[in-house]
Amino acid sequence: MAHEVIRRLTLGGLCVVALSVAGCGQDKSAERFSMTDQAWSNAFGNGSGDLPPLPEAQPMLADAGGSGAPAYAPPADRLPAARPIAYAQAQGDDYAWIDRADQFSDMLGDAPPDYGFAYDGGVTPWAWESGDDYLRYAEPIDGGYRYYYYEPGAASPYLVRDPWNSYGYRDDRLVAVYDGGGRVLPWREARARDAYASRYYARAIDMRRAARARERERIEARQWAARRSAIAQDRARWAQARREQAQWRNYRARQDARSRQHWATESRAREQAATRFASWQREDFRTPPPRFYDAQQRREAARDRREEQQRRAAWNDGRQAQAERERIADRRAAEQRRAEQERRAVEARQDRRQAQAQRAQAQARQQRAERAARADRARADRAQAERRADALRQQAAQRRQDQAQQAQRRAREAAEADRARQQRAAQAQQRAQREKARTAEAQQRRAQQQAQAQQRAQRQAQRHEQAQQRVAARAERLAQRPDGPGRPHRND
């Protein structure tokens, strides 16, 4: 479009002039925008807010089968390691970085992305670009989206946000870290996230470079319909965090009117785009894709008509030759620029293909290494499992052997105890028998002694009786003697 060509030629001329000072292509936006109240005023100026909506927004694809989940970007801990980032504590205006990104998100509202671009092996970030060249990229990750915010003309971000934290940058330094609730983290907690901050910063620079070099892709309508609620929820979480953080509320109160005035025209255009998309979605995308920013096209057509009228007037005024020479010079310059752009595009494509091939080779090597590592780990796990199984089997066998030995020992002990009991019983029985025998012998001896005593008594009685009989017999003999009993007998 005509005004876009003029704008790019103007930027190119500015770069040519700047070569004598600092070199075109060097990003000085971090020096121009220090994120203070005065910097906001300088950035937005005192204009009426009549910014042009996005002339480069791509029409959406009506039905491309893209309602499924997008390809996820790597999480922070899987991103390539980056050079450690320096840290500079913010001096006042702690909420300037997150608030500027929040205001830009509020201005965009539910408007569809302007375009997408291929990046990092299948990931397709979405882009929203304001009429004054503020920019937001969003790439899907597991758990939500990661956002990258850029100032006009900047090659590096001023804020990167993931579902858990937000990181503010200035002059290649990390200046602020916010948690998910919008709280500014203390210096020590912020420094603990240096690794993520440096990786995000490097990825944001590389993503911006890729977006400039690659063709812009049209967004699939069904994919946006399926995923826009997640982005709306992220915006709502920031709004809730802003309500809960007094410092953030106070900062927004100082900036809100200025930003609303600056982006008033574009905010209305974004709302209309969201409304047109909602209407198109209700029709199930059966009609042709709507022109979200047709007001801009009408203004461009009117401007083209005015330029054509001016050219005709110049022709009629006798300035045809000069205008023709200028157009020829412009056409030649444009052709040279196109040729140079095509050459650079070819080189860029070759570089991309080579880089992609190198990445593919590196990924293949990495995958082979990972497979080999997994195989080694699997073998090691199997060997360890076998060793554990052998150890368990040995332990079980040892336990069984110990149990058998214990059972044998208990059996022996029980047998010995039985033998001991039997021996004790036998001994007791023998003692009882001996005692019984001794008792019987004693009784027999007593019986014998009694019998002997009786025999002795009987013999003594017999002797006594015999003695009495002899006495009686003698007495009888004495009595029978003729000389009388008083005379002793001769035989007596």
Side-chain angles (χ1 to χ4, degrees), residues 10-21:
T10 303
L11 289 175
L14 291 176
C15 283
V16 171
V17 174
L19 281 172
S20 62
V21 180

Side-chain angles (χ1 to χ4, degrees), residues 145-147 159-163 165-166 234-235 237-238:
Y145 275 86
R146 192 158 54 217
Y147 302 89
L159 188 121
V160 177
R161 175 191 183 186
D162 65 18
N165 295 101
S166 300
D234 289 341
R235 194 170 67 254
R237 280 192 286 268
W238 255 359

Side-chain angles (χ1 to χ4, degrees), residues 86-163:
Y87 186 87
Q89 290 181 272
Q91 301 298 325
D93 297 341
D94 290 338
Y95 281 92
W97 288 265
I98 193 172
D99 188 70
R100 180 173 294 192
D102 184 32
Q103 290 187 56
F104 185 57
S105 298
D106 287 346
M107 183 274 291
L108 295 174
D110 292 327
D114 299 330
Y115 57 89
F117 57 93
Y119 179 67
D120 193 15
V123 180
T124 303
W126 289 341
W128 291 260
E129 188 172 349
S130 69
D132 55 346
D133 293 332
Y134 277 87
L135 184 63
R136 179 181 73 180
Y137 295 150
E139 63 173 351
I141 60 174
D142 188 9
Y145 275 86
R146 192 158 54 217
Y147 302 89
Y148 304 82
Y149 294 86
Y150 304 82
E151 294 170 338
S156 58
Y158 67 86
L159 188 121
V160 177
R161 175 191 183 186
D162 65 18

Side-chain angles (χ1 to χ4, degrees), residues 138-408:
E139 63 173 351
I141 60 174
D142 188 9
Y145 275 86
R146 192 158 54 217
Y147 302 89
Y148 304 82
Y149 294 86
Y150 304 82
E151 294 170 338
S156 58
Y158 67 86
L159 188 121
V160 177
R161 175 191 183 186
D162 65 18
W164 306 276
N165 295 101
S166 300
Y167 302 83
Y169 303 94
R170 184 181 65 195
D171 298 339
D172 296 329
R173 295 173 181 268
L174 178 66
V175 294
V177 179
Y178 311 87
D179 65 11
R183 181 177 66 96
V184 178
L185 295 184
W187 179 80
R188 292 186 181 277
E189 293 185 41
R191 288 304 303 269
R193 291 164 173 80
D194 283 352
Y196 284 8
S198 59
R199 293 180 182 185
Y200 283 169
Y201 192 71
R203 185 172 180 84
I205 294 174
D206 187 63
M207 185 180 296
R208 184 75 181 106
R209 185 184 303 113
R212 286 170 170 169
R214 296 177 182 176
E215 294 182 0
R216 296 183 176 184
E217 299 179 359
R218 298 168 64 179
I219 304 300
E220 297 179 4
R222 295 188 187 278
Q223 193 174 85
W224 168 246
R227 301 293 295 175
R228 63 177 175 175
S229 61
I231 295 179
Q233 290 173 2
D234 289 341
R235 194 170 67 254
R237 280 192 286 268
W238 255 359
Q240 178 66 26
R242 187 176 64 250
R243 288 191 294 269
E244 295 175 355
Q245 298 294 332
Q247 288 182 285
W248 193 351
R249 290 199 309 271
N250 296 335
Y251 186 85
R252 171 59 67 90
R254 299 197 304 268
Q255 304 294 339
D256 198 34
R258 186 184 297 113
S259 64
R260 287 182 183 273
Q261 179 183 2
H262 179 75
W263 276 325
T265 301
E266 184 162 346
S267 179
R268 290 191 296 270
R270 295 290 183 176
E271 291 177 1
Q272 293 172 3
T275 302
R276 290 190 181 100
F277 179 84
S279 300
W280 189 34
Q281 184 180 7
R282 284 192 294 271
E283 297 173 357
D284 197 23
F285 309 115
R286 290 189 296 270
T287 59
R291 297 286 183 176
F292 295 132
Y293 306 106
D294 54 358
Q296 172 65 17
Q297 294 178 350
R298 288 195 296 271
R299 283 195 293 271
E300 291 173 357
R303 184 164 50 250
D304 292 341
R305 286 194 296 272
R306 288 195 300 270
E307 291 175 356
E308 180 63 24
Q309 292 172 359
Q310 291 174 359
R311 285 195 295 272
R312 291 179 181 178
W315 182 283
N316 295 331
D317 291 339
R319 292 176 292 180
Q320 177 183 3
Q322 180 64 26
E324 185 66 20
R325 286 193 297 271
E326 292 177 355
R327 282 196 298 274
I328 292 173
D330 292 341
R331 187 168 60 250
R332 289 177 177 172
E335 290 175 353
Q336 292 176 355
R337 285 193 296 274
R338 283 196 298 272
E340 180 65 18
Q341 290 174 355
E342 291 177 357
R343 184 185 64 79
R344 292 180 179 177
V346 170
E347 293 178 352
R349 285 195 295 270
Q350 292 176 350
D351 292 340
R352 287 197 300 273
R353 284 195 294 270
Q354 183 178 1
Q356 290 173 355
Q358 292 176 352
R359 283 198 297 272
Q361 293 175 357
Q363 289 176 355
R365 288 194 297 271
Q366 183 177 0
Q367 290 173 356
R368 288 195 296 271
E370 290 176 352
R371 285 195 297 269
R374 286 195 296 271
D376 292 340
R377 287 195 297 271
R379 286 193 295 270
D381 293 341
R382 286 195 299 271
Q384 186 175 3
E386 291 175 357
R387 288 194 296 272
R388 285 198 297 268
D390 291 339
L392 291 174
R393 285 193 295 270
Q394 292 176 359
Q395 292 175 0
Q398 184 65 36
R399 283 197 298 271
R400 289 194 297 270
Q401 183 178 0
D402 293 341
Q403 291 172 355
Q405 292 177 354
Q406 291 175 359
Q408 292 176 357

